[in-house]
Coordinates of all heavy atoms in Angstrom, one line a residue:
R256 N 9.3 13.6 -3.8 CA 10.2 13.3 -2.6 C 10.1 14.5 -1.6 O 10.4 15.6 -2.0 CB 11.6 13.0 -3.0 CG 11.8 11.5 -3.4 CD 13.1 11.2 -3.8 NE 13.5 11.9 -5.1 CZ 14.7 11.8 -5.6 NH1 15.7 11.2 -5.0 NH2 14.9 12.4 -6.8
L257 N 9.8 14.2 -0.4 CA 9.7 15.3 0.6 C 11.1 15.6 1.1 O 11.9 14.7 1.4 CB 8.8 14.9 1.8 CG 7.4 14.6 1.4 CD1 6.5 14.3 2.7 CD2 6.7 15.6 0.6
P258 N 11.4 16.9 1.3 CA 12.7 17.3 1.9 C 12.9 16.9 3.4 O 14.0 16.8 3.9 CB 12.8 18.8 1.7 CG 11.4 19.2 1.6 CD 10.6 18.1 1.0
I260 N 10.5 14.8 6.8 CA 9.3 14.1 7.3 C 9.1 14.4 8.8 O 8.3 13.7 9.4 CB 9.3 12.6 6.9 CG1 10.5 11.9 7.5 CG2 9.2 12.4 5.4 CD1 10.4 10.4 7.4
H273 N 5.3 9.1 2.0 CA 5.9 8.6 0.8 C 4.8 7.7 0.1 O 5.1 6.5 -0.2 CB 7.2 7.8 1.0 CG 7.1 6.9 2.2 ND1 6.2 5.8 2.3 CD2 7.8 6.9 3.3 CE1 6.4 5.2 3.4 NE2 7.4 5.8 4.1
E285 N 6.1 -0.6 3.9 CA 6.9 0.5 4.3 C 6.3 1.3 5.4 O 7.0 1.8 6.3 CB 7.1 1.5 3.0 CG 7.9 0.8 1.9 CD 9.3 0.5 2.2 OE1 10.0 1.2 3.1 OE2 9.8 -0.5 1.6
Y314 N 14.6 8.9 13.7 CA 13.5 8.3 12.9 C 13.7 8.7 11.4 O 13.7 7.9 10.5 CB 12.1 8.6 13.4 CG 11.1 8.4 12.4 CD1 10.7 7.1 11.9 CD2 10.4 9.5 11.9 CE1 9.7 7.0 11.0 CE2 9.5 9.4 10.9 CZ 9.1 8.1 10.4 OH 8.2 7.9 9.4
E315 N 13.8 10.1 11.3 CA 13.9 10.6 9.9 C 15.1 10.0 9.1 O 15.0 9.7 8.0 CB 13.9 12.1 10.0 CG 13.9 12.8 8.6 CD 13.8 14.3 8.7 OE1 14.7 14.9 9.4 OE2 12.9 14.9 8.1
S316 N 16.2 10.0 9.8 CA 17.4 9.4 9.1 C 17.2 8.0 8.8 O 17.7 7.5 7.7 CB 18.7 9.5 10.0 OG 18.8 10.6 10.7
A317 N 16.5 7.2 9.6 CA 16.3 5.8 9.3 C 15.4 5.6 8.2 O 15.5 4.6 7.4 CB 15.8 5.1 10.6
R318 N 14.3 6.4 8.0 CA 13.2 6.1 7.1 C 13.0 7.0 6.0 O 12.3 6.6 5.0 CB 12.0 6.0 8.0 CG 12.0 4.8 8.9 CD 12.1 3.4 8.2 NE 11.0 3.3 7.2 CZ 11.1 2.5 6.2 NH1 12.2 1.7 6.0 NH2 10.1 2.5 5.3
R319 N 13.4 8.3 6.0 CA 13.0 9.2 4.9 C 13.5 8.6 3.5 O 12.7 8.4 2.6 CB 13.5 10.6 5.1 CG 13.0 11.5 4.0 CD 13.3 13.0 4.3 NE 14.7 13.2 4.1 CZ 15.3 13.6 3.0 NH1 14.6 13.8 1.9 NH2 16.6 13.9 2.9
R320 N 14.8 8.4 3.4 CA 15.3 8.0 2.1 C 14.9 6.5 1.8 O 14.6 6.2 0.6 CB 16.8 8.0 2.1 CG 17.3 9.5 2.1 CD 18.6 9.6 1.3 NE 19.0 11.0 1.1 CZ 19.6 11.8 2.1 NH1 19.9 11.2 3.2 NH2 19.8 13.0 1.8
A321 N 14.8 5.7 2.8 CA 14.4 4.3 2.5 C 13.0 4.2 1.9 O 12.7 3.6 0.9 CB 14.4 3.5 3.8
G322 N 12.0 5.0 2.5 CA 10.7 5.1 1.9 C 10.7 5.6 0.5 O 10.0 5.2 -0.4
Q323 N 11.5 6.7 0.3 CA 11.5 7.3 -1.0 C 12.1 6.4 -2.1 O 11.7 6.4 -3.2 CB 12.3 8.6 -0.9 CG 11.5 9.7 -0.1 CD 12.2 11.0 0.1 OE1 13.4 11.1 -0.2 NE2 11.5 12.0 0.7
R324 N 13.1 5.6 -1.7 CA 13.7 4.6 -2.6 C 12.6 3.7 -3.2 O 12.5 3.4 -4.3 CB 14.8 3.8 -2.0 CG 16.2 4.3 -2.3 CD 17.3 3.3 -1.9 NE 17.2 2.7 -0.6 CZ 17.7 3.3 0.5 NH1 18.3 4.5 0.4 NH2 17.6 2.8 1.7
T325 N 11.8 3.1 -2.2 CA 10.7 2.2 -2.6 C 9.7 2.9 -3.5 O 9.2 2.4 -4.5 CB 10.1 1.6 -1.4 OG1 11.1 1.1 -0.5 CG2 9.2 0.4 -1.8
M326 N 9.4 4.2 -3.2 CA 8.5 5.0 -4.0 C 9.0 5.1 -5.4 O 8.2 4.9 -6.4 CB 8.3 6.4 -3.3 CG 7.3 7.2 -3.9 SD 7.0 8.7 -2.8 CE 8.5 9.7 -3.2
L327 N 10.3 5.4 -5.6 CA 10.8 5.5 -6.9 C 10.8 4.2 -7.7 O 10.5 4.1 -8.9 CB 12.3 6.1 -6.9 CG 12.3 7.5 -6.4 CD1 13.8 8.0 -6.3 CD2 11.5 8.5 -7.3

Side-chain angles (χ1 to χ4, degrees):
R256 276 182 290 174
L257 302 185
I260 57 171
H273 44 62
E285 295 295 330
Y314 157 71
E315 183 174 54
S316 319
R318 292 299 306 156
R319 184 174 72 90
R320 288 212 171 84
Q323 292 177 351
R324 261 196 307 277
T325 313
M326 187 169 76
L327 292 179

